[in-house]
Amino acid sequence: MASKVIHAIYTDDDVLMQAVKDARKAHYHIGEIYTPFPVHGLDKAMGLAPTRLAITSFIYGIIGLAVSIVMMNYIMIEDWPQDIGGKPSFSYIQNMPAFVPVMFELTVFFAAHLMVITFYMRSKLWPFKKAENPDVRTTDDHFLMEIDVENHSVEELSKFLQNTGAIEVNLIDKQE
């Protein structure tokens, strides 16, 4: 399915930020913004919902902690108890201070690795995926705002974007 979008190119992040605010105020739907570096406050200006990645990270850490507790209890207490340094291995609670570093490391390990996987899945960054960058200049020094044309006049939208400081405005047939 093809849809028409307008690509507006900017050379300054402050001008882009004001253009995003103006476009939202004029009720235009901003599809995506491509920048060469993170622009502080752009997500809030676009009206994006806050991320829930911190919640998933906490859940992944709890899973790692639970796995470490179960693993150490099974390995060191039930399956193969050993007398190490004169410390008997009869109960998990008595030996827990020695297990704290392992519990910490597995908590961090699970949180970090599962967060990377979650981030890639959420961002739809699959192995061998073709790049979606519509203009190579956005990897160097330009900013691109993609606005869906929908029911708006192309000429009116182009004029609006040029008034916000866009140096270039192009109508594109976007393939989905």
Side-chain angles (χ1 to χ4, degrees):
M1 178 178 161
S3 62
K4 295 203 181 282
V5 295
I6 287 189
H7 286 174
I9 307 257
Y10 297 88
T11 55
D12 185 19
D13 58 335
D14 293 328
V15 175
L16 171 75
M17 184 70 80
Q18 188 57 46
V20 167
K21 291 175 184 175
D22 293 344
R24 293 235 329 134
K25 195 179 296 181
H27 302 292
Y28 290 119
H29 179 262
I30 300 171
E32 190 65 66
I33 295 183
Y34 299 90
T35 64
F37 54 84
V39 177
H40 180 70
L42 187 59
D43 52 344
K44 190 174 284 191
M46 288 177 64
L48 298 176
T51 181
R52 295 182 304 262
L53 286 176
I55 297 168
T56 59
S57 179
F58 178 74
I59 291 169
Y60 294 153
I62 295 298
I63 291 170
L65 180 65
V67 166
S68 69
I69 290 169
V70 170
M71 179 187 75
M72 287 183 300
N73 185 51
Y74 176 73
I75 292 171
M76 299 298 289
I77 306 301
E78 294 175 15
D79 184 43
W80 195 269
Q82 296 179 20
D83 187 0
I84 300 173
K87 298 177 185 172
S89 298
F90 298 129
S91 76
Y92 182 81
I93 298 298
Q94 287 177 336
N95 292 300
M96 196 170 79
F99 296 155
V100 168
V102 176
M103 291 168 20
F104 172 77
E105 291 298 332
L106 279 177
T107 300
V108 172
F109 178 85
F110 270 68
H113 286 80
L114 291 175
M115 278 304 298
V116 168
I117 293 168
T118 301
F119 174 75
Y120 283 142
M121 288 175 60
R122 184 72 179 101
S123 300
K124 298 178 183 156
L125 294 173
W126 314 114
F128 310 110
K129 182 177 187 231
K130 185 177 178 275
E132 295 180 6
N133 191 355
D135 193 330
V136 73
R137 293 176 291 177
T138 60
T139 62
D140 187 22
D141 62 350
H142 285 68
F143 304 85
L144 186 142
M145 179 167 46
E146 181 180 279
I147 296 185
D148 298 331
V149 174
E150 294 176 3
N151 303 328
H152 304 289
S153 165
V154 174
E155 294 81 21
E156 176 187 320
L157 184 54
S158 296
K159 188 165 183 77
F160 171 79
L161 291 171
Q162 286 178 341
N163 289 338
T164 62
I167 62 165
E168 186 178 321
V169 178
N170 301 316
L171 180 65
I172 306 290
D173 284 328
K174 184 176 180 182
Q175 299 295 327
E176 306 235 358

